[in-house]
Amino acid sequence: MPAAVRFGVNYTPSAGWFHHWLDFDLDSVRADLDSIAALGLDHIRVFPLWPYFQPNRTLIRPRAVEQLVTLADAAAERGLDVNVDGLQGHLSSFDFLPAWTRTWHRRNIFTDPDVVDGEAEYLRTLAAALADRPNFIGMTIGNEVNQFAAGPHPDPDRITPEQASRWLMRLLAACEEGAPGKLHLHASYDAAWYQDDQPFTPEHSARLGEVTAVHSWVFNGTAQRHGRTGVATEHHAAYLIELSKAWADDPHRPVWLQEVGAPAPLIPAEHAAAFTEATVANVLDCPDVWGVTWWCSHDVSRDLADFPELEYNLGLLTSDRRTKPTGHALARIAEERRFRAPAPRTTALVVDTAQRRSACAPGGPVFEAFARLTADGARPTTVLASRADDKEHLAARGITEVVTPEQVTE
């Protein structure tokens, strides 16, 4: 039997967005989950807002934790598994850091011993509360926490890659202590792969945690450069998946496309379903995909102010729970293509770690060579230059040809 790909959605409550934790309404949550389950999806990614759950370093609100468990139980009743992101952190252009890390209490969230102790206890508490739930997938440390560690964040907590590694290992261990044997991971936005001074590195993403998480957004210069139907645009998520494999020590390490969406106006609403179908089809041509989790479940209500315009319409469903064309498209894919066994990708593009990471970014030689190979009908993957002559490694991945970006663009 071919491997089963998980299909899910990042759960954005239809009423109150993530502020719903302040006025938790189980009936509303159940109705949201009904509309998600009706799409035939099998899991949700859930976002407790960190300051609401841990408003003081030594206060993790029991009632908030109970509400999280209640949500997970409601999901189980509808056949939905649950992954929980702990440190929120950052969502849809807004930062949610607790007051005990900011302004008068300004402390580095990655290196201050008291802060890290508080974070570890928080993650351990959430994981332990859900550990006995069969539908609990595991913890993600937080949502794109790497954005707090470098620019373009306006007030970053700067650290070194070594400090980032120690922080990740400490917090992954806390998740494991709270819920042993579950699938615990961390998640970075694509600066980990593309930004030269980003302290969260490709090695961190591809080697720490149970799976590699990638977040694919084509507003990063991809769609601007290649257009909404460009090969690089429709294959961006697949590119990130295959790029991650260059750094993985396990030749068959699972990769989770944990966030992907159709952002307007680069992907206009009338083309969002086609973009969804093309993106997911290309992802399913990648070996070792754990799952696809779309951003997001429900549109942000226009009653809420100050979101970037694109954030209001990313849902598979409207804020009154009507299924949009993207929702129908993903439901159809989940039904038709849940099982797949793609052949190995036999052509590997060399990634030279002596180069700056921006070589892998849109416009960079690795990125553009991958797009050209794909346009020419190849199914490329990537390999580090240090492994390009390692016959055992290449054979384990099914690679029979190795090319450099220069060879592709000659």
Side-chain angles (χ1 to χ4, degrees):
M1 176 68 70
V5 176
R6 307 295 303 268
F7 284 93
V9 68
N10 293 276
Y11 174 41
T12 51
S14 64
W17 192 64
F18 298 107
H19 303 300
H20 85 130
W21 295 111
L22 293 172
D23 300 291
F24 188 75
D25 182 342
L26 183 56
D27 288 339
S28 180
V29 167
R30 284 170 170 159
D32 286 347
L33 297 177
D34 285 339
S35 63
I36 292 170
L39 298 177
L41 305 179
D42 61 47
H43 70 275
I44 57 174
R45 181 173 167 228
V46 177
F47 302 88
L49 290 188
W50 184 15
Y52 299 172
F53 276 63
Q54 192 181 24
N56 182 273
R57 185 166 57 85
T58 57
L59 172 62
I60 300 167
R61 294 177 51 245
R63 180 59 179 146
V65 177
E66 290 171 7
Q67 290 169 339
L68 176 63
V69 174
T70 299
L71 189 155
D73 288 344
E77 293 168 359
R78 289 150 180 82
L80 296 168
D81 290 345
V82 174
N83 169 260
V84 176
D85 269 49
L87 300 177
Q88 272 24 273
H90 179 85
L91 290 164
S92 302
S93 84
F94 292 98
D95 287 351
F96 295 95
L97 295 178
W100 45 273
T101 68
R102 301 292 93 183
T103 60
W104 300 104
H105 294 264
R106 183 71 160 81
R107 290 176 283 189
N108 190 303
I109 65 172
F110 303 110
T111 60
D112 183 275
D114 289 338
V115 172
V116 177
D117 283 349
E119 293 166 342
E121 182 59 26
Y122 172 58
L123 293 174
R124 185 164 44 245
T125 298
L126 295 188
L130 292 162
D132 65 346
R133 265 49 182 189
N135 71 319
F136 176 47
I137 295 170
M139 296 293 298
T140 302
I141 287 177
N143 181 53
E144 301 184 352
V145 288
N146 64 314
Q147 64 98 22
F148 290 111
H153 193 279
D155 185 24
D157 287 355
R158 296 192 182 276
I159 53 173
T160 66
E162 293 73 23
Q163 289 170 322
S165 181
R166 287 194 293 271
W167 184 80
L168 288 168
M169 289 190 289
R170 170 77 187 282
L171 295 189
L172 286 167
C175 295
E176 177 65 18
E177 183 178 341
K182 296 293 186 177
L183 188 146
H184 303 304
L185 67 152
H186 66 99
S188 291
Y189 84 104
D190 61 18
W193 312 99
Y194 295 161
Q195 186 171 316
D196 295 322
D197 66 346
Q198 169 60 235
F200 287 82
T201 67
E203 290 91 342
H204 295 149
S205 290
R207 298 175 187 173
L208 298 179
E210 295 300 312
V211 300
T212 298
V214 297
H215 291 192
S216 174
W217 290 101
V218 297
F219 53 56
N220 63 355
T222 299
Q224 293 93 328
R225 185 181 186 89
H226 290 274
R228 66 173 176 81
T229 60
V231 169
T233 303
E234 293 185 342
H235 286 260
H236 182 256
Y239 168 68
L240 279 174
I241 289 168
E242 294 303 324
L243 181 65
S244 78
K245 296 176 182 180
W247 283 271
D249 290 331
D250 176 357
H252 296 290
R253 178 174 167 89
V255 185
W256 182 356
L257 178 57
Q258 196 183 44
E259 274 191 31
V260 61
L266 293 166
I267 309 297
E270 61 270 24
H271 300 293
F275 172 82
T276 302
E277 292 184 0
T279 294
V280 178
N282 294 328
V283 164
L284 295 181
D285 193 40
C286 299
D288 305 311
V289 173
W290 181 89
V292 177
T293 310
W294 201 260
W295 189 280
C296 53
S297 64
H298 298 81
D299 286 344
V300 177
S301 171
R302 291 282 177 179
D303 293 339
L304 297 175
D306 300 328
F307 284 83
E309 182 61 29
L310 70 90
E311 297 286 351
Y312 285 103
N313 296 300
L314 290 169
L316 298 176
L317 303 118
T318 65
S319 57
D320 58 0
R321 307 188 184 100
R322 289 179 290 109
T323 304
K324 296 164 59 178
T326 49
H328 289 299
L330 193 64
R332 184 166 56 252
I333 294 167
E335 176 65 25
E336 295 174 356
R337 304 184 186 180
R338 186 174 298 277
F339 297 97
R340 85 323 168 222
R345 291 184 170 229
T346 57
T347 300
L349 185 66
V350 173
V351 178
D352 187 351
T353 54
Q355 293 181 310
R356 295 165 68 85
R357 264 182 277 178
S358 52
C360 298
V366 175
F367 184 101
E368 299 302 328
F370 190 100
R372 178 172 293 189
L373 284 168
T374 302
D376 289 344
R379 299 172 56 249
T381 186
T382 62
V383 64
L384 294 184
S386 60
R387 292 170 169 168
D389 295 320
D390 184 338
K391 293 182 180 179
E392 183 177 349
H393 175 79
L394 298 178
R397 295 181 56 193
I399 295 168
T400 59
E401 179 184 19
V402 175
V403 296
T404 67
E406 294 75 19
Q407 289 172 318
V408 174
T409 54
E410 283 176 353

